[in-house]
Amino acid sequence: MWMRNVPLDLRTRWRIGGQAPELAEASSQEELRGLLAELEGETALVLGGGANLLVSDQGPGAPVVVLGGEFKRQEVLEDTIRVGAAASIAGVVQAARRAARSGLWILEAVPGTMGGALRLNAGTADEWIWDRVLWAEVMLSDGSVERVVAEDVQPSYRAIELDPGAIFLRAEVRAPPADAARVRQEHMQRRIEKLRAQVYDKPTCGSTWKNPGAPSPSAWELVELVGMRGEKRGGAQVSPKHANFIVNLGDAKAQDVIDLMIETRRRVHEEKGIFLEPELHFWGFPGEVLRELGAGTT
Ligand SMILES: Cc1cc2nc3c(=O)[nH]c(=O)nc-3n(C[C@H](O)[C@H](O)[C@H](O)COP(=O)(O)OP(=O)(O)OC[C@H]3O[C@@H](n4cnc5c(N)ncnc54)[C@H](O)[C@@H]3O)c2cc1C
């Protein structure tokens, strides 16, 4: 059932964003197909944990679907883990650690859902979820379901190629049994590194910018070099702890985040000759704003 004018701020990690004109939760594949059919060709946006997403203060301007029910399931199999797209990344990572399965440490301390992880190709700087995906199933806007493998979506650093209306339903991820002590150690090490360096005590959406790659300094170093660490616009601030994170100090608007990002990107280009590219996804912003941010290539 579609609900009208649903606020999205509390559904994102940043606690920012206007209202969705319509929002519905789908607990099964059939329900999702029925909801999409009611849209008569209009493309729905799909919301996971909102951990890598900036929603405009005016809202996304399109219907939003949230997956629940059967999509929250996860199952540890012989050499793999089968996950629904709404399964929390934290739950899947914990299941892998407890069952002594290798490879899922790359998602340790990453908030959000497995659907978001598949869409963003989440992971570390050099190892990504799509390195481990055996297959994933997507529903297209006409309600048909397709099974895709890595070759079909051409994974790259924090990006894949996917039809705009495609919704991940589930996936099977390689996770072969391994030495339990080594698995525990890998998970703990990654968790400690992330908790030490990154921002978990304030509303953020993780890394703002993609790392430009060698020989460039990393994104946080570039932001720092141009003097943006600690800079504020309205209620948003470039985190004093990690310069690639923007925090909501309490009453930030999406526009405050955009202002900080545009200023950062301008300075980095002027002073370092590098165009930063956002890691985040954006909902409800005009094309000219997205172009100014260097967004839209994910
Ligand atoms: C403190 C912190 C640390 C983080 N660390 C990392 C890290 O180490 N590595 C990393 O890669 N990321 C990291 N992130 C970013 C974020 O956690 C991941 O990108 C995560 O995968 C986002 O998932 P989500 O469900 O919240 O996606 P959302 O923010 O809800 O959505 C992001 C995009 O994915 C799309 N999407 C969501 N679900 C689906 C679906 N089922 N089908 C199709 N598209 C979908 C949305 O439409 C949107 O375009 C971090 C974030 C925070 C706040």
Side-chain angles (χ1 to χ4, degrees):
M1 194 186 63
W2 291 101
M3 295 175 284
R4 311 254 169 233
N5 302 326
V6 181
L8 292 183
D9 53 352
L10 293 181
R11 293 176 183 257
T12 72
R13 290 270 303 194
W14 245 330
R15 302 288 183 255
I16 290 176
Q19 296 186 344
E22 291 173 297
L23 183 142
E25 185 170 319
S27 57
S28 69
Q29 191 165 305
E30 276 324 300
E31 214 174 304
L32 179 61
R33 185 174 286 123
L35 287 166
L36 297 185
E38 286 170 31
L39 294 176
E40 297 174 344
E42 194 181 356
T43 302
L45 297 166
V46 55
L47 179 66
N52 212 13
L53 184 64
L54 184 64
V55 179
S56 139
D57 297 317
Q58 284 69 46
V64 173
V65 171
V66 178
L67 303 181
E70 70 174 41
F71 300 112
K72 290 193 169 175
R73 288 192 202 134
Q74 62 188 45
E75 198 182 352
V76 179
L77 303 173
E78 205 175 326
D79 279 318
T80 58
I81 301 183
R82 193 170 295 167
V83 296
S88 81
I89 298 171
V92 173
V93 166
Q94 188 184 54
R97 180 169 47 74
R98 287 194 175 152
R101 297 311 187 85
S102 64
L104 270 297
W105 65 269
I106 63 167
L107 294 182
E108 188 61 62
V110 176
T113 64
M114 289 305 295
L118 291 165
R119 183 65 189 86
L120 273 300
N121 196 13
T124 69
D126 359 78
E127 291 190 63
W128 313 318
I129 187 65
W130 275 96
D131 296 336
R132 288 147 172 74
V133 172
L134 210 55
W135 53 260
E137 280 174 359
V138 288
M139 185 176 282
L140 305 176
S141 33
D142 64 1
S144 60
V145 173
E146 275 182 11
R147 191 170 269 211
V148 295
V149 296
E151 205 184 357
D152 301 317
V153 298
Q154 295 293 312
S156 57
Y157 172 53
R158 295 297 178 272
I160 58 167
E161 288 173 16
L162 191 71
D163 251 40
I167 297 177
F168 283 111
L169 306 174
R170 57 186 73 83
E172 195 158 323
V173 179
R174 279 185 210 92
D179 176 65
R182 187 169 64 80
V183 170
R184 263 200 315 275
Q185 176 62 22
E186 283 171 344
H187 280 254
M188 197 167 47
Q189 195 173 324
R190 178 72 180 155
R191 173 163 281 270
I192 289 170
E193 276 167 17
K194 279 181 68 73
L195 265 54
R196 188 182 296 141
Q198 302 184 352
V199 185
Y200 286 88
D201 61 345
K202 293 197 173 63
T204 78
C205 262
S207 297
T208 311
W209 306 103
K210 294 182 185 178
N211 285 315
S216 161
S218 56
W220 74 262
E221 287 171 299
L222 289 166
V223 178
E224 162 125 1
L225 285 168
V226 301
M228 287 298 290
R229 185 193 283 267
E231 277 285 302
K232 289 182 194 161
R233 295 289 182 278
Q237 181 182 34
V238 176
S239 166
K241 181 176 180 187
H242 192 305
N244 201 22
F245 281 57
I246 292 177
V247 299
N248 178 357
L249 296 173
D251 57 354
K253 299 283 173 215
Q255 190 58 46
D256 300 334
V257 175
I258 295 290
D259 291 347
L260 274 177
M261 290 185 72
I262 287 177
E263 177 65 8
T264 302
R265 191 163 188 267
R266 186 187 65 75
R267 287 198 203 175
V268 169
H269 179 240
E270 279 180 15
E271 296 177 33
K272 304 292 167 193
I274 292 166
F275 279 119
L276 286 172
E277 193 185 320
E279 184 168 318
L280 303 168
H281 282 200
F282 299 89
W283 284 2
F285 294 92
E288 66 262 26
V289 173
L290 297 178
R291 276 191 292 282
E292 222 177 327
L293 291 165
T297 54
T298 43

